[in-house]
Amino acid sequence: MAKIKHRALTSGGTSEKPAKRPRVAWMDESDDEAHSHKINGAEALKSLKFDAQSPRPTKKQKMAGAGPSGSKQAAMQEQRKQLPIALGRDAIIQEIKDNDVTVLVGETGSGKTTQIPQYILESGLARNGMIAVTQPRRVAATSLASRVALETQSQLGSLVGYSVRFSDVSSDKTKIKFVTDGMLVRELMGDPEMERYSVVIIDEAHERTLRTDVLLARLKGILKKRNAVPTEGKGKGKERAPKNPLKVVIMSATLDADKFSSFFGNAKILYVQGRQHPVAIYHTSTPQPDYVDAALRTVFQIHTDQPTGDILVFLPGQEDIESLDKSLQLYAKRLPQDAPGILTCPLYASLPASQQQQIFVPAPKGMRKVILATNIAETSVTIPGVRYVIDSGKCKEKRWVGRGVGGGFDTLLTRDITKSSAWQRTGRAGREAAGSCFRLYTEDAFSALPLSAEPEIRRCSLVASMLQLKCLGQDLEEMEFMESPDQEGIAQALMALYLLGALDDRKHLTDLGRRMAFFPLEPALSRAVLASVEFGCTSEVLAIVSVLSASSKLFVDTTDSRESAREAHTKFRHISGDHLTVLNVVRAYEEVLQAEGGADGRKASRAALKDWCVRNYVSHRCLTEALEIRAQLREYCERQAIDWRASCGDRVGEEQAVLRSLVRGLVQNTAFLQPDGRYKQVIGHSIVKIHPGSSLCDKKVPAIIYDELVYTTQIYARGVSAIPRNYIAEVPLLKHKGS
DNA sequence: CCTGAGGGC
């Protein structure tokens, strides 16, 4: 039998009698013989000690600890009591009528996102324009639109519609439009004052995505302009109203309503009660450094002691999920035959959709489902049937670590969650009935957690947002945001845009920059596309750029099948490195697509394509997404009068045009070979190695370009191609380098 | 000699 890597397993189970601390009921019954479903075998799982903290604090208690405005609380709470959403309807509408900006705090299950837009529509507030409702996620935008269309008994795309990338289901009849925040930012390009909208509702504002923060900052400026009372006629007794006023509603689910309110000049805050069942909360008595082991033991404690109901375990990443999955299955085998079994269900974004669907399939009778999930289950996916939540208290966070201009790289590290995240996870146990949440950390540890996450504007690259704002005539560094970006982030973005030729040396937007912003791509990739026009290889560069901007990885490379995957990938390999290797895969895939996509019907063709992908260890998901992106990019090319068919051909040497185009975009991602075999950045000071997964690993070439740097044991360059040194000197701003 | 939080245009 495979050995379990967790060591905190002792024989004798719960023989150790915990005494002093308050115990939860099921712990008090921890008499070994009394367990109905004992785990067989020499090794039994030692129980974990939890302190009860019940019931869940009310919003009032939480708010009291959250902000300085204790005195306002009573009034707000009083107001909240009168606002179960339907009853509060008239009051909410009145407030929106009376104020430019309203902050609405709605608990989960309050129905605020589906109801408020309808109330506004019925009130006539949106007589002159549309109501926009922004969402951070595509699925939310599309599913909410369907729901509201249903409730208004209208066809989706008429009165109620949505607009997300690749899919615009709206018409000139549309009055309520659900959009992703990124889509509304993009719409600003053609409608800088949002004049098509009478009301803009920013939902899930507390998530503080970079795009939401950009929208909030812009809305402040737009309000000033659109809602200003015209000054002519002043003093003549004739009151004038703004021509096309805008109403803004900020919807937030957590504790930072005060922040939004003060950002918008102490806007009114309204509270809407939710329909959430009570959740009992337990913290561990002692810290649990090995949270995977602690989760393992807690699952079986719940399984043996608690009534039916599925368990949702929050873990930081795939590795922990797979490890816990294995352990659970091993122990589940040892449950007595007549005892209920356990069905494990991993859930993370890169899991194939078919496996993700498993969470919606009810467990067979007599089985308990245990879902092992990342943050995806915190906001993006709601899982039915969950009564128990186990919270590891950990998550992964991507953070850009700057080391001077041009020398930055991304890290992806496990860290503690925030209080607001902990509450969100807890709430997942009370969606359908009363539930329990087991936190694998002490109450003291919980108290020490930060209230909410650092907003993206403080930890993500600002390059794309800065370029978009420049196109609106706005300077990111001078705008008023909820939280201002740090100087380092601004300097990095300015330098990046300058090196791409999007800004001139006076920080003014260039024609090139305007054309770059037009493409729905990272600025570096937009630059490569525009350069490809010059070098006559747009067809090739579009194919590569589409794969690079797809959300999943092209090459499947799991630990168990590494050898065969490597072998399958060799036939795609291009001598210059990874970029042209990607192109070879796309070309090969297209050949299969043409051969199979006959009159036989799409299903057979799709199956053949999938089969081809499996055999070649490439991701079907990545390729379908890439082709969709490429189709969109081709449309954008046509609108810019760019011939996307232009090709450099596939003769040997012709591919140099492709590499020259890529260098224009990846200027900052260039490095020269050093005598020791490592590479030194052309811009910036980092010494990097080629990632072992790259086709150029261990090769010594004079100069390289790469897609990204990842820091693990050292700084690795991923997605690498070899280039002649003089290609770097071709970049106008780098003339002195590389020659 | 490695490695994958979650999103968006």
Side-chain angles (χ1 to χ4, degrees), chain A residues 718-733:
Chain A
R718 273 217 292 235
V720 183
S721 285
I723 51 159
R725 280 178 77 107
N726 63 3
Y727 284 8
I728 289 169
E730 279 180 7
V731 179
L733 295 166

Side-chain angles (χ1 to χ4, degrees), chain A residues 59 65 144 181 223 267 326 339 371 415 430 433 443 524 532 556 627 697:
Chain A
K59 184 67 99 193
L144 283 164
D181 50 12
L223 279 167
K326 274 186 192 146
I371 300 116
R415 56 166 292 163
E443 200 168 352
S532 76
V556 178
L627 260 55
C697 182

Side-chain angles (χ1 to χ4, degrees), chain A residues 102 118 124 127 136 152 183 202 236 304 314 401 528 546 552 571 616 695 708:
Chain A
T102 310
Q118 296 181 63
R127 221 171 274 125
T152 54
M183 194 51 125
I202 306 288
K236 294 192 176 165
T304 54
F314 282 101
V401 179
S546 307
S552 44
K571 63 175 164 296
N616 290 288
S695 62
E708 58 175 354

Side-chain angles (χ1 to χ4, degrees), chain A residues 635-653:
Chain A
E635 273 178 46
Y636 276 82
C637 281
E638 280 173 8
R639 282 197 251 160
Q640 281 208 54
I642 292 170
D643 177 15
W644 53 263
R645 290 181 183 84
S647 166
C648 59
D650 51 7
R651 277 171 294 140
V652 179

Side-chain angles (χ1 to χ4, degrees), chain A residues 8 13-14 16 18 21-24 26-28 30 35 45-51 282-302 305 390-392 438-441:
Chain A
T14 54
E16 181 188 296
R21 288 173 187 277
R23 296 293 160 205
V24 301
W26 57 273
M27 275 293 300
D28 291 339
S30 62
H35 279 180
L45 292 165
K46 190 179 166 187
S47 287
L48 212 58
K49 299 171 203 164
F50 284 97
D51 296 331
Y282 306 97
H283 295 94
T284 56
S285 311
T286 55
Q288 301 295 319
D290 189 346
Y291 54 81
V292 176
D293 171 69
L296 174 70
R297 289 186 276 156
T298 308
V299 167
F300 281 103
Q301 274 171 265
I302 294 169
D305 298 344
I390 299 173
D391 175 12
S392 66
F438 297 85
R439 293 177 175 166
L440 302 178
Y441 41 93

